[in-house]
Amino acid sequence: QKEVEQNSGPLSVPEGAIASLNCTYSDRGSQSFFWYRQYSGKSPELIMFIYSNGDKEDGRFTAQLNKASQYVSLLIRDSQPSDSATYLCAVNKYRSGGYQKVTFGTGTKLQVIP
Amino acid sequence: DVKVTQSSRYLVKRTGEKVFLECVQDMDHENMFWYRQDPGLGLRLIYFSYDVKMKEKGDIPEGYSVSREKKERFSLILESASTNQTSMYLCASSFLEGSSPLHFGNGTRLTVT
């Protein structure tokens, strides 16, 4: 079982629709969760992070976390063609003294159709 | 704004060469990381460092070594480059606090021929 799993896609949504991206993780000790967006040929850029159960909203983006189900999701409202990219889910496990292991999923490719 | 700078955007090296990839961050981050990214495999952690002269192996350290002599600089070394090390290499940094997100450099596309 992969530590962090995402559907590779592509996920195609029409412009203006809601895009829903999902991620599951295997380590129950994971403590914080990140969503990164990566355009083709570019490096990942942070969109959101969440570490408490529930929803966290930032503009058109909402991150949802359910630790009991080991499930993280990202909703993008009013999707735009510029949102077309690969979205990476990352899971962080850390211990005192600085050890921080961040594991990435392989990403979901999102295509927003004009 | 956090700036993580990788010294080269593209590199072409020959098999057997010793290769140095350099990364510098300007945010006084304690943690620094080296990942490689390959199609279908995602980002895989090679090494990370949480302090000067400290390092920890990631998931795929074989064939690589690292050096962190100063807090802002983290170097990845390919002792004897091989064709299976052709990849995109990404450096990242973060604060020591466990929930701190990673900030990435622009990446180095390394081709070993």
Side-chain angles (χ1 to χ4, degrees):
Chain A
Q1 183 186 8
K2 288 183 182 177
E3 290 187 59
V4 181
E5 295 215 47
Q6 296 180 257
N7 188 319
S8 61
L11 172 67
S12 294
V13 299
E15 185 175 353
I18 296 175
S20 177
L21 303 159
N22 304 314
C23 170
T24 58
Y25 60 95
S26 60
D27 189 341
R28 284 193 175 275
S30 300
Q31 293 147 305
S32 51
F33 308 85
F34 307 95
W35 283 101
Y36 287 84
R37 177 175 62 201
Q38 186 174 27
Y39 292 111
S40 180
K42 302 291 187 182
S43 59
E45 54 179 328
L46 180 71
I47 298 175
M48 293 191 70
F49 63 91
I50 186 169
Y51 43 83
S52 299
N53 277 328
D55 294 1
K56 180 180 178 182
E57 188 174 317
D58 184 1
R60 296 187 295 114
F61 299 96
T62 300
Q64 299 174 316
L65 174 61
N66 183 326
K67 287 187 177 181
S69 300
Q70 295 174 247
Y71 178 90
V72 192
S73 65
L74 179 71
L75 301 178
I76 306 174
R77 288 181 298 281
D78 188 23
S79 296
Q80 301 297 309
S82 59
D83 294 327
S84 298
T86 296
Y87 288 79
L88 305 175
C89 172
V91 172
N92 188 8
K93 184 173 183 179
Y94 51 90
R95 64 177 187 226
S96 62
Y99 179 90
Q100 184 182 29
K101 183 174 181 187
V102 182
T103 304
F104 285 82
T106 54
T108 298
K109 187 171 183 178
L110 173 66
Q111 294 177 339
V112 180
I113 313 299
Chain B
D1 220 12
V2 177
K3 187 141 186 179
V4 180
T5 303
Q6 294 184 230
S7 54
S8 303
R9 188 75 179 96
Y10 299 96
L11 271 181
V12 180
K13 297 291 182 180
R14 295 198 179 274
T15 301
E17 278 194 78
K18 190 168 186 176
V19 181
F20 293 85
L21 302 182
E22 306 285 344
C23 176
V24 177
Q25 50 93 6
D26 67 357
M27 279 302 292
D28 203 33
H29 284 165
E30 293 87 2
N31 294 333
M32 296 190 75
F33 305 81
W34 276 106
Y35 287 87
R36 64 178 281 179
Q37 187 173 30
D38 301 286
L41 297 177
L43 279 105
R44 292 180 292 166
L45 181 64
I46 305 172
Y47 267 97
F48 73 97
S49 168
Y50 52 90
D51 200 353
V52 175
K53 297 191 186 295
M54 304 302 291
K55 60 185 179 185
E56 292 251 0
K57 291 180 180 180
D59 298 318
I60 51 163
E62 298 78 18
Y64 303 95
S65 62
V66 290
S67 173
R68 193 165 181 201
E69 297 295 321
K70 293 184 177 182
K71 188 176 184 179
E72 66 271 19
R73 186 179 297 271
F74 192 34
S75 303
L76 180 69
I77 303 155
L78 287 66
E79 295 291 342
S80 178
S82 63
T83 54
N84 63 12
Q85 292 178 310
T86 292
S87 186
M88 170 67 84
Y89 289 86
L90 289 159
C91 175
S93 67
S94 72
F95 286 115
L96 194 64
E97 289 79 10
S99 60
S100 176
L102 271 61
H103 298 269
F104 285 88
N106 287 333
T108 296
R109 171 74 65 185
L110 173 67
T111 302
V112 182
T113 62

